Amino acid sequence: MMHDFTLRVAGESGEGVITVGETVARIAAREGLQLVTFRTFPAEIKGGACMMQLRLSDQKISYHGEKVDCLVALNQAALDENFPDLKEQGVLLCEAECDVIEDGLSATVYKVPFERIAVREIGSRISKNIVVLGVLAELLAIPKPRVEEFLAEKFAKKSEAILDHNMQALEKGICFARENFSKREGFGFPPGKPERHLLMTGNEAIALGSAAAGVKCFFGYPITPASEIMEWLAVHLPRMGGKVLQTEDEISAICAVAGASWAGEKAMTATSGPGVSLMSEALGLLSIAEIPAVIVDSQRGGPSTGLPTKTEQSDLMLAIHGSHGDAPRVVIAPTSVSECITMMGAAFYFAEKYQMPVIVLVDQALSARVETVKPGIVEEIPKSSRLRAQAPAEGNFARYKLANSPVSPAAIPGTDGCEHMVTGMEHDEFGNFACDDETHTAMTVKRFRKLEEIEHDPLTQNLCQSIGEGRADIGVVTWGSSAGPVEEAIAEARRLGISVRGLVPKILNPLPHAQMKKFFSEVNRVIVPELNFTGQLASQLRATYRVPTISLTKIKGVPLEPSEIVAKIIEATDGLQQRSARRYGRAR
Amino acid sequence: MSTAPTIDYEKIKGVHKIPLEELYTSGHRTCQGCESATTMRGFIKAAGSRTVVTGATGCMYVANTSYLTTPWIVPWMHTQLGAGGSSAVGMAAGLRALKRKGKIKDEKINVINFSGDLGAGDMGIGGISAALQSNYDLLIIMYDNESAANTDIQATGLSTYGAQTTFTPPGTKHPIMQRRWKKNVAGMLAVGHPTCRYVATACATYPPTDYLNKVRKALEIGGPTFIHTYDPCPKGWDYHPRYSNELGELGIKCGIYPLYEIVDGNIIYTYDARKTGKGRIPVKEFLTKQGRFDHLLPEHFTYIQKMVDEMWDEWQMPGVAPIKGILKARI
């Protein structure tokens, strides 16, 4: 049987909500459990409502859970907002002063005066979160030595007194819970496994993945929610012999990437939607000059500043089409934190092998969520290298040679005998400016043929995940971080007896046509759930495959929930039955 | 130059004479001890209600518009990160056109843009430069808290040398990761725009009323004008919020942040840090009060002190242009 437990901690930002969540997450990872988390951020600098949700399991999970088993609410506002998400038989742990309407309530309510314990018995308001942790440790059967071990590590660099203080707070919390509440059997932490997992956020995974893929130059500009990528690389990349440079804006960042990459190094930048908007012109330069580059776009609610701390998947069209002219680029979208690592390898593989820009689409929810990752995953990263040029025996070096392969050997500037021009203007084989129609056509075809080659690349074949096999009534296609809830929804719909399967393309430009076409021929109706208003993947599918699609869109700044997708699947099934009834008469 | 009507402001002599009317009120969520909020509150008090404000993205934009609320009583508009100067030009041009066509009363309406050090000093400097070459009445205030504070304290081109930020984390092997010396934005703009009649540097709380009078002077003189304010930030500079005002004062007294105004090409030092001793205190007194410099070693303090001393003692125009002398032409 699968053990599954969901915990949510909610309160005011700065109250230590995230510390509680992260501590539980780290202990769980050490206990050998798998976990996915989700957290919201206020857009304020300090204060504002925030919450962290963790789902623990002894098996692989890809979604942070819809309803929670245990809710910890540190103030009334947090309680009111999060209470509807508590399971019927769940446990509510709240500050003693909160009002809970207990009539007809089937959930267990525990009221704890967290603040009073922290202030009166420990003597500091800041220890409140550790008291919460103590109560949780007792209620959820979190092994106490583990918590102590963790606190000792966390406060190792602080003074002895601070550690003592926190240990006391933990003890008070445990004692309070032991004296006042009865523990529920089998509730809380699933039993651990003798294996250990790494715990990291999507942004850390992206940074780690790119470092493992051999990135040597990173240029960036701070932007929520992608800043942590640069923050991680600023610490670690110099040790690996790389360079991190903060530029004065995103235009400089991408142009610096172009420079570093042209000079022969693997280079990348990371930004969010507003940054990609600024980079659009340079994307065209990278395409026409055939320079490899990796751009990470951690999407947030838009347009303009939009919802800077909330998630959305609304940059797909920008990623595929942004920039003027016909400027091909590769767009890939990882679906989980583990994939953030391996897909960064894929990004550099495509960029270096095909000499073109690659955009990695993640979103705020994926960037910020903490997930368990199996150790040694960096071994799975594909190796990447650029086709290097040899000086020609005679004549000039043709950097953009029109040959069978659309990829021409590249030369590091300054290589003897390989002198060539790199320009944003349309050029002939040698890089000389040429604006005649023949050259423009031939060169545009050359650049777009790369996409065809990528479609048949062995690596691309692995970049499409199929959920279920064979014929089905309903097919669900989605991308990016929405894959987690879709997977859960499909499992749930199957339990309800609906014939449904799913497909998650992880490469969105070019689309994996063979798998897509096969999928569309095997399903009757296609639902496309995604986090944007216009149904961007759905319109892309309609335009490419001429399949009718049912869009399920959401722009609430939070990820899709499995129940929403299940409802849509049921709605589509009803539609199918009605259609067959119209055509063949009602079943009697 | 434009012949637009002007407002005659009175010089504020002493804190008791500061206008009581609040045009930047409650409804913001800035941190405790936020000096930039004082800067906002100050300039709008000085400018008065006939003012339109535009703000580029930055912590003061995020904190001033959360939960669908805003502290601004005057009309206010948000603009993109690097668009501080251009938004002010657009606003001023629009108002001028409306006045010329007789759609609105021909009176002086102040256009003020506030941008952070990242928005104005790094990304938007091109737009501000263009605005200072225009002939519109506008004032650009760059509030400088030496970091990108809305995205969790990243370094900018205006961060002090050696400061710890999330993009410049110090380690034992390389204690100095912020290796760039602070960009001299006010000096650069003053030197590069001969027709701009007023450029000043200020601090919201020290010397008292100095900043407010500088805002009034800028608006009175008219045309495109620029003020750079120095805003200690408890979160980014890592100190207790109660010391915000004190740190601003120390920054000026130690000479790391020169205080001056340039009116029609004449420079007036509003705090004279040219002489050491009573005039200029050691830089260390300012740096050691902040957590972001905790990792500095004695040689770093010496280096920073040397650079500051050089600015005051050797530059021909301290704080404005790093020109030490005129050599004879070698032709």
Side-chain angles (χ1 to χ4, degrees), chain A residues 361-441:
Chain A
L361 281 179
V362 289
D363 54 51
Q364 185 273 336
L366 184 53
S367 275
R369 90 177 183 205
V370 179
E371 211 177 287
T372 39
V373 173
K374 74 169 189 242
I377 193 167
V378 287
E379 306 294 329
E380 293 172 18
I381 289 180
K383 298 271 175 292
S384 52
S385 63
R386 212 179 297 181
L387 195 59
R388 295 282 179 206
Q390 300 281 334
E394 56 182 33
N396 289 337
F397 167 62
R399 166 70 183 89
Y400 305 104
K401 195 160 180 57
L402 292 165
N404 276 340
S405 164
V407 183
S408 327
I412 294 175
T415 311
D416 222 6
C418 288
E419 296 81 3
H420 64 282
M421 292 238 291
V422 174
T423 156
M425 287 197 284
E426 189 56 284
H427 43 250
D428 64 8
E429 290 184 322
F430 304 98
N432 300 322
F433 170 54
C435 68
D436 58 294
D437 60 331
E438 265 175 46
T439 315
H440 181 50
T441 313

Side-chain angles (χ1 to χ4, degrees), chain A residues 80-366:
Chain A
D80 294 344
E81 199 185 322
N82 295 289
F83 190 69
D85 290 337
L86 186 64
K87 280 185 187 167
E88 270 185 17
Q89 298 302 323
V91 168
L92 170 68
L93 196 62
C94 64
E95 180 66 50
E97 290 156 11
C98 290
D99 290 327
V100 187
I101 305 156
E102 296 195 27
D103 287 347
L105 191 70
S106 51
T108 319
V109 180
Y110 294 132
K111 286 189 171 181
V112 188
F114 295 120
E115 185 134 353
R116 210 185 67 212
I117 298 178
V119 174
R120 296 221 183 132
E121 300 186 26
I122 312 294
S124 95
R125 187 169 273 121
I126 335 170
S127 333
K128 186 164 119 178
N129 55 351
I130 309 293
V131 178
V132 176
L133 199 59
V135 176
L136 272 180
E138 179 62 21
L139 274 185
L140 306 184
I142 304 174
K144 189 185 163 199
R146 284 280 193 205
V147 187
E148 285 176 346
E149 180 191 307
F150 183 82
L151 286 182
E153 272 172 37
K154 189 175 165 71
F155 296 106
K157 283 186 180 167
K158 300 278 169 74
S159 69
E160 195 84 339
I162 292 179
L163 179 63
D164 260 14
H165 225 71
N166 283 296
M167 289 296 185
Q168 264 180 39
L170 180 73
E171 196 55 47
K172 292 278 178 213
I174 293 175
C175 288
F176 186 90
R178 202 172 285 160
E179 285 161 18
N180 298 290
F181 309 139
S182 57
K183 210 154 114 182
R184 220 197 267 180
E185 269 315 303
F187 183 78
F189 254 46
K193 278 185 176 177
E195 56 189 59
R196 280 194 162 202
H197 297 286
L198 300 172
L199 199 60
M200 60 179 79
T201 65
N203 275 341
E204 283 167 349
I206 289 168
L208 175 70
S210 41
V215 68
K216 280 287 172 285
C217 298
F218 182 97
F219 305 94
Y221 184 79
I223 187 163
T224 308
S227 300
E228 287 90 11
I229 299 171
M230 184 165 167
E231 285 168 15
W232 193 95
L233 287 169
V235 177
H236 299 285
L237 199 58
R239 292 185 200 160
M240 304 175 194
K243 285 269 172 226
V244 175
L245 189 76
Q246 184 186 352
T247 53
E248 76 275 15
D249 59 25
E250 282 91 351
I251 301 173
S252 309
I254 185 99
C255 292
V257 168
S261 181
W262 181 52
E265 290 291 7
K266 285 180 190 160
M268 70 176 287
T269 180
T271 183
S272 184
V276 181
S277 300
L278 284 177
M279 292 175 181
S280 293
E281 193 196 354
L283 271 174
L285 171 73
L286 293 165
S287 278
I288 197 167
E290 304 190 31
I291 297 173
V294 173
I295 300 117
V296 178
D297 175 5
S298 180
Q299 303 163 90
R300 65 189 207 186
S304 186
T305 311
L307 312 169
T309 59
K310 307 266 190 269
T311 191
E312 211 167 275
Q313 295 179 299
S314 48
D315 293 353
L316 181 63
M317 287 298 185
L318 170 68
I320 298 177
H321 302 293
S323 194
H324 56 279
D326 294 314
R329 79 289 306 268
V330 179
V331 179
I332 57 176
T335 61
S336 68
V337 173
S338 306
E339 261 174 28
C340 284
I341 300 180
T342 50
M343 294 284 267
M344 283 315 291
F348 280 100
Y349 172 87
F350 288 131
E352 295 288 321
K353 186 169 174 188
Y354 295 98
Q355 301 175 14
M356 63 197 302
V358 176
I359 298 178
V360 183
L361 281 179
V362 289
D363 54 51
Q364 185 273 336
L366 184 53

Side-chain angles (χ1 to χ4, degrees), chain A residues 12 42-49 220-224 227-228 230-231 234-235 238 246-250 278 304-305, chain B residues 29 31 57 59 61-63 66-67 78 80-81 118 122-123 148-152 154-156 166-167 169 177 180 235:
Chain A
E12 173 101 356
E44 291 81 19
I45 311 294
K46 219 172 185 181
Y221 184 79
I223 187 163
T224 308
S227 300
E228 287 90 11
M230 184 165 167
E231 285 168 15
V235 177
Q246 184 186 352
T247 53
E248 76 275 15
D249 59 25
E250 282 91 351
L278 284 177
S304 186
T305 311
Chain B
R29 288 190 68 111
C31 310
T57 310
C59 65
Y61 151 61
V62 174
S66 41
Y67 288 145
H78 162 238
Q80 299 313 114
L81 194 43
L118 190 79
D122 275 356
M123 195 181 198
N150 64 324
T151 47
D152 201 17
Q154 283 87 8
T156 70
T166 44
F167 275 0
M177 290 304 287
R180 303 181 285 189
K235 195 178 174 215

Side-chain angles (χ1 to χ4, degrees), chain B residues 241-259:
Chain B
R242 74 167 71 119
Y243 298 118
S244 283
N245 296 355
E246 191 187 329
L247 272 171
E249 186 178 335
L250 283 176
I252 290 157
K253 283 189 170 171
C254 74
I256 201 162
Y257 182 73
L259 218 55

